[in-house]
Every structure is written in C-alpha cells, then in structure tokens.
Amino acid sequence: MIPRLIRVSLVAVLSSTLLFIASAAGQVVAGGVGIGTTAPEAPLHVDQFTSGVAKGVGNSILKLDADGAMGFQMQDKSDALGRFWQFSNVSLNTIFRISRSGTGGTEFSLTDAGNLTIRGTLTQASDARFKTQIEPLGDVLSKLGRIRGVAYRSKTEQADEQSRRIGLLAQEVQAAFPELVLEDDEGILSVAYGNFTAVLLEAVKEQQRQNEQLAARLSAIEQQNQELRSKIATLDAALDRLESAVTATHR
C-alpha cells in the first residue's frame, strides 16, 4: 500500500545544491520545496538569482511544455467563483486569460493574434503630481491633416484570419507626434492610441476657437450689412423726396 503522505528532508551539503525540500518537524504543511534555494519562503520557491552573474536572454526561470492540452493554470478555490489564471493554446486561440469559473465570463484575455480584451475599464496613470515640464499642445489641426485614418488587413495573420481593421499608420503619426510612437528592438513601430485622445481634445478646442472667430466675423459682417441696409433705406427715402419735389416743380 502506497502511503498517502511522504515526508522528505534533504539537507544541502554543497552550496550548489539545486533542490532542497524542507519540512518542519511533525508539520509537513509548514515545509516548502526550494529549487535554487535552501530556504524556501513558499510551498514552491524557485530562485535563479546569482549575485554578480548576468543571466542570458534564454535562461527562463520556468518552462512548461504541452502538446495541445492545457499549458498552465492557477486557480483560487477559496469560494465557488474562484478566479483562475490560464495559459492555453486550445481555447479559441486564447493564450492567456483571467476568468471566474462560476460566471462564465472572461475578465482578461490575450489571443495569439495579439488581440487583448478586458471586461472592465482600462486606465492609465496620469496624476499631475508626478509630471513635470508640462506644456500645452499647439497647432494640432494642421498636424492631424497629415495623418490618415485607414482601413487595412494585417500581413502577420493567416489569410483566413485577416479581418478588416481601422487604424492609423505609425510612420505618419511619428512624423506629426513622435511622442505617440514607440519603436521596439526590432524597429517595429507602435502607436499609443490612448494618448491620442489628448491630441483630439486639443484639436476640438482649436476647431472651436476657429468657429468662434468665424462666428464673430460673420456677426460683424451682418452688422455692417444692417448698417448698409439702413443707409440705403435713408437714401431711398431722400431720393423719393427729391423725385417728389422735382415733379411738383414741373407742374
């Protein structure tokens, strides 16, 4: 008969020991599994840190391989609606999602096509107390005139997955507002669409100022027209009197 619980305690003899399993005397639940550490601080503690030694890009601290099945999942089972975090490649092309098992809804998902969906509101830190060298935007309308809104299909997707999309071209945005464009290590450009709202806000205000100026000019022209109509009416009345006087003279 296989015992239900096996307690193992391996004491490291060499500092290079990679695996250390510890348990408190008589209290297995208080123990932990340490990989790369002899003092695990959690039920499973993986430590890849080595003081003064640089890690290569490919040195992953955790690697899990799966063949068409669930890649990795963590779940909070403290209640019936426990949230779970899932890495997968089989569920509607979703490679990562956060859900509540009892609600049937996904709170956060990322697909292999790069589409990110959240259920709640996406916010970005924007506290004025943490900003400096604040300057108002100016002359945004003329710059927006050089940026096109376009419809397109992505070259990076499979032909049967290329849905038609609407967006901007990063190169055009970069030429007008370089602060809204980021370039990665491979030279790929991306646009901070959320920050574009500041440009659109100032564009609306700039357009409003132009409209107000045009309205003021139109009002002034209307006033001038009214004055001209009044003068014309006065001249017409004077002309009528003159014609009446001439007619009376020739009788």
Side-chain angles (χ1 to χ4, degrees), residues 155-212:
K155 295 180 179 179
T156 60
E157 296 180 356
Q158 298 295 330
D160 58 345
E161 297 178 350
Q162 290 183 352
S163 59
R164 194 165 177 81
R165 301 178 181 178
I166 292 178
L168 306 173
L169 303 178
Q171 284 79 358
E172 294 182 357
V173 177
Q174 186 180 47
F177 303 99
E179 301 89 345
L180 295 178
V181 177
L182 298 177
E183 183 176 352
D184 65 14
D185 295 337
E186 298 179 353
I188 306 300
L189 302 182
S190 60
V191 176
Y193 279 91
N195 295 348
F196 211 87
T197 56
V199 174
L200 299 180
L201 172 63
E202 291 303 318
V204 171
K205 292 161 64 175
E206 192 172 315
Q207 186 74 70
Q208 180 63 26
R209 288 192 295 269
Q210 292 183 2
N211 291 341
E212 292 173 354

Side-chain angles (χ1 to χ4, degrees), residues 10 18 21 29 31 35 47-48 55 57 63 70 77 90 98 119 145 158 178 181 200 204 213 216 220 228 246:
L10 301 178
L18 298 180
I21 304 175
V29 294
I35 301 178
D47 190 349
Q48 192 190 30
K55 298 298 181 182
V57 176
K63 181 179 180 181
M70 182 74 67
K77 293 187 175 181
V90 296
I98 300 176
R119 175 180 291 188
Q158 298 295 330
V181 177
L200 299 180
V204 171
Q213 292 172 359
L228 289 175
V246 171

